[in-house]
Amino acid sequence: MNLAYSAEYERFRTEVRRFLGEHWNEAPSGAADSIADLTGAHVRTDARATAFRLLAIERGYLYRHVPRRYGGSEQPGDPLKSTIIAEEFRRARAPFEIMGQGPSMLVPTLLEHGTEAQKERFIRDTLLGTIRWCQGYSEPGAGSDLASLRTRAVLDDGHWVVNGQKIWTSNAREAEWMFALVRTEPEKAKHDGISYLLIEMNTPGIDVRPLRQMTGDADFNEVFLENARVPADNIVGRRGQGWVVSRSTLKHERALIGGAHLTRRTFDGLVMLAQAVERGGRPVIQDPVIRNRLAELEARLVAAEYHGYRLLTLSARGNDHGLGGMVTKLYSTTLGYDIAKLAMDVVGDRGLLAPGEPNAPAMGMFGLAYMWSLGVLIAGGAANIQRNIIAERGLGLPRDARK
Amino acid sequence: MDFGLSEDQVLLKETIRRYLGSECPTTRVRAIMESESGHDAALWQGLADLGVPGLAIPTPHGGAGLELLDLALAAEELGRACTPGPFLGCAMASAALLASEDSDAKARWLPAVASGRAIVTVALGEEGGVWDAAALTTRARDGRLTGRKLLVPAAAVADAILVAAQDGDGPGLWLVERGAPGLEVAALRGTDMTRRVAAVTLGDAPGVVVAGGRRAIDRARDAGLVLLAADAYGGARRCLDMTVEYALTREQFGQPIGGFQGVKHQLADLATELEPALSLWWYAAHAYDHIPERLERHAALAKAHLTDLYDRAARVATELHGGIGFTWEYDLHLWFRRAVFDRAFLGDAELHRLRAADLAGW
């Protein structure tokens, strides 16, 4: 056990810092913070950011898992270097890899299953953010049981004719393209009848309607498809193989420290809130009940932080994360909820004021975090689905009966 | 950057687990806990022969010269097997002696502890939930000690007790040998029958000062906090493992109960809390030798969190076992009882969370 980086990695860090110092010397703007970071809203794709990204790719810092011929930097796998790059880019507030489902889900899928033409057409522009993607998976009747999806596509004169409805589609209004799961073989068993299609969002017959969530904002959409005609070669993988295609695991090393970093910042914000808010003429943080709860949360936060280092070490040694990797989503979303809830208790009665209300402590932003803590608990595999995965694959308990 | 165990550390754990698997099955645990002294000299000597009590004692003093993390890995295995014995007292006493500048005391006692020839423990706690050096009421004057220490581990079998007390200069540690005049050791019945505690009364008993100031006391306490966290993790993990195994074999309504989501999800939640908690006590153990400025707070956080989790794990395990889990014959209550000790000894979770809050400067 050694928490210091070796000389080789310290040299690498120095090199990354020098690169950032030379090529990204913009004064950090104080404005971009937690909520924007959480939603990825701060990701810049203007000309200057794109020029910087191209330089960083050239130097081998971004998209290390993607071959050079498709716009990546094609570096040997090295989780420690990836972590150092992520840390230093974050510190400099420099444009990093584009967040979102295009780079994180579509690109690995195309790398594994796409045709040469698909790779050349989409990957580079996706990595630079000039093509933005949304994900057409969930449907009103197909949430946790995704494979029961009913949007259908029928081949007609060189085109797939798509009819159906997708829901919970983030970024559908901004995205130029959607990668979608559709049913092409209605006679086959449910997992075997699905295909993976790339659908241009300006195709006639596509109607995007914002879906207002409990926070009052509309970060999701419904996407209606009515006789939308999609060129036949926009299928990724073979007909009926869409389920397998969509399971492409992320091949690139994820910077594992990143998640706990955001939670740490939220927690530090909570401590500042408890120091600033007064009750009975004293800062709330002097209340032993609040101190006790803060310390309880911090133990879990430190556990999450060093759990990240443990998983990183497993990766660096070439080992699987096993059970340790399966629990991270449930653990961090539960912790996020408990932090937001304590923040609500710290502000006490003023917690009933709405996010954005100037008279609310911290503009009521903790109220927003409180509601979003539910959103992230559900999105991307709801908590009970996570529990099933942990119990079945992690602990070896019997699988649920499924039809 | 490497936050993982070395090959030697993995081997150490395996060696201890194998030894305890053959030498310390629960039948023997029960025999020891039902015995008069609660102490099995042969088992302790076996562990000493493996090097367990001397893991973190430097080689010149007869130990293996490793770190608290290595000792904590041993504690995890002892907790996993619910092993009776004076491990905790000896480990805290070694930590205190290592922080002392008394080379005679070190030369005499550390090799004896490492080899298993002597049992030394620490008497810290006092009436009123006192575990802090600044609040001690036991007094030392001219090499004589007067006061009452509560919940002293392994005191009845100890060859020497390091007594935390105050003299005119403040807190310190005095070594009192077995049989000293004025020393009374009264066994107390504990819920955890694998680690015996006693009340120690000192009536003008002779003691030799081995460390002045509070540093040696704090080192002993912090080592104890980390080792309790490790013991709790080992025990909690065992509770989870036993329950998963039971859920795979016990059938009701025509199927293994592990197939019911109510059972699966309780176990998944437990695994979700336990898995990252491992890194919390690893980090605290690492801090003991490498990051002294972060030790106190993280040892407190780890002890509070892990022992709370242990309680939850033992509860969930018992609940999911149903009636059989509530019987004396079934082994689960051994761990349940051990969790009670881990939570309470050296102060409960709330005490350490409030300390951690103070130490954070909040």
Side-chain angles (χ1 to χ4, degrees):
Chain A
M1 192 167 288
N2 180 0
L3 290 172
Y5 286 91
S6 68
E8 179 202 343
Y9 285 105
E10 284 305 338
R11 270 196 303 279
F12 182 74
R13 186 186 294 279
T14 309
E15 178 195 311
V16 175
R17 264 189 208 174
R18 190 177 309 127
F19 169 82
L20 289 165
E22 282 169 18
H23 299 286
W24 192 260
N25 41 23
E26 273 189 18
S29 76
D33 232 331
S34 295
I35 297 292
D37 280 355
L38 277 171
T39 57
H42 69 299
V43 172
R44 289 175 48 171
T45 54
D46 54 278
R48 175 154 155 57
T50 300
F52 172 81
R53 275 195 189 93
L54 285 169
L55 209 54
I57 291 167
E58 180 61 35
R59 288 288 289 266
Y61 295 154
L62 301 183
Y63 303 117
R64 293 161 56 84
H65 62 294
V66 178
R68 289 224 177 240
R69 65 182 185 283
Y70 305 128
S73 64
E74 198 171 342
Q75 298 293 311
D78 189 332
L80 294 184
K81 282 190 178 173
S82 298
T83 301
I84 289 170
I85 293 164
E87 285 173 356
E88 293 303 323
F89 274 59
R90 191 162 61 223
R91 193 196 312 265
R93 297 206 174 207
F96 191 56
E97 295 178 359
I98 304 275
M99 290 167 71
Q101 292 160 331
S104 72
M105 300 184 74
L106 175 77
V107 168
T109 303
L110 286 184
L111 284 173
E112 194 169 333
H113 299 283
T115 63
E116 197 55 31
Q118 287 168 341
K119 291 178 190 174
E120 281 179 7
R121 177 166 180 202
F122 292 115
I123 294 180
R124 185 182 308 269
D125 285 345
T126 301
L127 298 183
L128 293 175
T130 44
I131 294 181
R132 289 165 296 178
W133 293 84
C134 59
Q135 177 206 66
Y137 282 9
S138 294
E139 297 182 4
S144 294
D145 182 14
L146 181 60
S148 67
L149 60 88
R150 291 162 60 182
T151 293
R152 64 194 186 282
V154 178
L155 207 50
D156 171 54
D157 190 21
H159 285 77
W160 294 103
V161 181
V162 186
N163 280 283
Q165 181 192 350
K166 295 293 178 181
I167 197 169
W168 303 118
T169 318
S170 310
N171 301 315
R173 280 164 285 165
E174 298 79 23
E176 287 85 15
W177 284 81
M178 166 194 270
F179 56 95
L181 292 177
V182 297
R183 190 160 298 284
T184 53
E185 331 293 313
E187 73 288 355
K188 291 253 177 80
K190 78 177 190 183
H191 290 82
D192 298 333
I194 294 170
S195 295
Y196 191 106
L197 287 190
L198 307 180
I199 303 174
E200 197 159 11
M201 291 301 283
N202 64 9
T203 307
I206 295 183
D207 183 21
V208 178
R209 296 181 205 161
L211 184 64
R212 202 170 177 202
Q213 75 261 7
M214 67 183 285
T215 63
D217 302 321
D219 289 278
F220 305 99
N221 303 276
E222 293 174 288
V223 179
F224 295 85
L225 302 115
E226 194 182 343
N227 294 321
R229 295 181 70 83
V230 177
D233 54 9
N234 280 15
I235 188 170
V236 180
R238 294 199 311 278
R239 272 181 81 145
Q241 291 293 303
W243 188 258
V244 178
V245 169
S246 74
R247 302 287 108 176
S248 286
T249 49
L250 302 184
K251 286 284 189 281
H252 66 286
E253 322 141 341
R254 298 162 68 186
L256 292 155
I257 315 302
H261 154 83
L262 284 177
T263 314
R264 166 62 70 182
R265 206 153 69 190
T266 311
F267 180 80
D268 289 347
L270 165 61
V271 171
M272 284 162 59
L273 186 74
Q275 285 165 332
V277 174
E278 296 201 351
R279 204 175 303 155
R282 293 193 325 169
V284 170
I285 199 155
Q286 290 179 18
D287 179 344
V289 174
I290 298 294
R291 296 171 81 74
N292 195 27
R293 286 174 66 186
L294 278 172
E296 195 269 337
L297 291 175
E298 199 185 14
R300 288 158 61 192
L301 175 56
V302 173
E305 288 172 326
Y306 287 91
H307 184 61
Y309 283 110
R310 188 180 136 224
L311 297 187
L312 174 64
T313 301
L314 285 171
S315 296
R317 294 179 181 184
N319 296 327
D320 280 347
H321 293 169
L323 179 61
M326 296 172 201
V327 304
T328 50
K329 196 216 170 204
L330 185 58
Y331 192 82
S332 62
T333 49
T334 307
L335 177 58
Y337 162 68
D338 288 340
I339 289 174
K341 183 163 174 236
L342 180 52
M344 295 298 282
D345 292 345
V346 161
V347 298
D349 52 7
R350 283 183 296 165
L352 63 81
L353 295 174
E357 162 58 43
N359 290 302
M363 295 282 284
M365 294 316 270
F366 278 98
L368 197 57
Y370 186 59
M371 284 191 253
W372 266 115
S373 71
L374 267 170
V376 295
L377 193 70
I378 296 162
N384 278 344
I385 294 294
Q386 302 297 325
R387 290 185 179 100
N388 271 7
I389 291 170
I390 294 160
E392 293 170 9
R393 296 185 211 160
L395 300 177
L397 291 166
R399 279 170 61 87
D400 275 3
R402 293 172 173 91
K403 281 184 186 166
Chain B
M1 222 303 299
D2 185 89
F3 193 71
L5 302 183
S6 67
E7 282 177 24
D8 283 350
Q9 287 169 328
V10 172
L11 188 65
L12 171 73
K13 272 169 63 74
E14 285 171 2
T15 305
I16 298 172
R17 189 177 295 196
R18 205 174 313 118
Y19 175 80
L20 294 173
S22 69
E23 297 302 315
C24 191
T26 51
T27 45
R28 187 164 182 187
V29 174
R30 285 170 178 272
I32 297 168
M33 77 186 200
E34 281 163 12
S35 71
E36 176 75 20
S37 69
H39 180 62
D40 182 329
L43 178 64
W44 182 239
Q45 190 58 55
L47 284 166
D49 292 345
L50 286 181
V52 167
L55 282 169
I57 293 175
T59 48
H61 294 300
L66 300 174
E67 301 182 349
L68 188 74
L69 177 59
D70 302 280
L71 194 62
L73 296 172
E76 178 194 349
E77 293 303 325
L78 296 176
R80 186 181 171 83
C82 214
T83 311
F87 172 83
L88 188 61
C90 285
M92 288 177 63
S94 306
L97 285 168
L98 287 169
S100 137
E101 284 166 12
D102 184 338
S103 47
D104 289 345
K106 286 182 179 177
R108 177 165 174 210
W109 293 104
L110 286 172
V113 169
S115 67
R117 285 198 316 277
I119 292 169
V120 184
T121 188
V122 175
L124 177 56
E126 295 184 356
E127 197 72 60
V130 167
W131 293 97
D132 188 82
L136 300 171
T137 60
T138 299
R139 289 285 174 264
R141 201 175 157 188
D142 303 329
R144 297 271 167 180
L145 292 154
T146 301
R148 185 172 150 84
K149 311 300 287 188
L150 272 184
L151 311 179
V152 182
V157 294
D159 298 285
I161 301 174
L162 296 172
V163 178
Q166 306 228 33
D167 66 6
D169 297 328
L173 279 173
W174 282 259
L175 188 140
V176 178
E177 291 195 50
R178 184 212 295 272
L183 170 69
E184 264 180 53
V185 177
L188 302 167
R189 285 185 55 216
T191 296
D192 172 19
M193 296 183 289
T194 61
R195 287 167 299 177
R196 299 292 175 94
V197 291
V200 171
T201 308
L202 301 135
D204 208 31
V208 180
V209 65
V210 295
R214 60 174 298 155
R215 181 162 180 274
I217 298 173
D218 287 352
R219 288 295 276 182
R221 177 205 55 205
D222 290 338
L225 293 176
V226 171
L227 296 172
L228 287 166
D231 184 274
Y233 180 82
R237 192 95 219 174
R238 179 70 178 271
C239 287
L240 175 64
D241 293 349
M242 284 171 72
T243 311
V244 167
E245 199 182 312
Y246 183 75
L248 286 169
T249 48
R250 167 73 173 170
E251 293 195 3
Q252 287 287 273
F253 305 102
Q255 67 167 80
I257 60 168
F260 294 113
Q261 275 198 346
V263 173
K264 286 164 73 170
H265 288 189
Q266 268 187 296
L267 290 170
D269 280 337
L270 194 55
T272 300
E273 296 208 63
L274 269 180
E275 191 68 20
L278 170 66
S279 298
L280 178 60
W281 68 262
W282 275 9
Y283 179 73
H286 181 70
Y288 187 88
D289 290 290
H290 296 279
I291 321 170
E293 70 278 10
R294 306 196 75 181
L295 166 65
E296 258 194 274
R297 192 156 74 88
H298 287 83
L301 289 175
K303 144 76 168 156
H305 188 60
L306 270 302
T307 59
D308 254 2
L309 272 184
Y310 192 6
D311 168 75
R312 204 167 316 153
R315 284 196 78 84
V316 168
T318 310
E319 182 194 332
L320 290 181
H321 273 76
I324 187 80
F326 197 66
T327 63
W328 182 263
E329 285 71 23
Y330 203 79
D331 288 332
L332 261 179
H333 69 97
L334 305 182
W335 282 271
F336 189 95
R337 289 162 176 276
R338 198 150 164 127
V340 170
F341 181 102
D342 286 357
R343 259 166 70 79
F345 189 68
L346 295 179
D348 66 10
E350 186 174 338
L351 181 136
H352 289 290
R353 290 196 180 111
L354 293 178
R355 282 185 60 234
D358 293 346
L359 290 162
W362 293 338

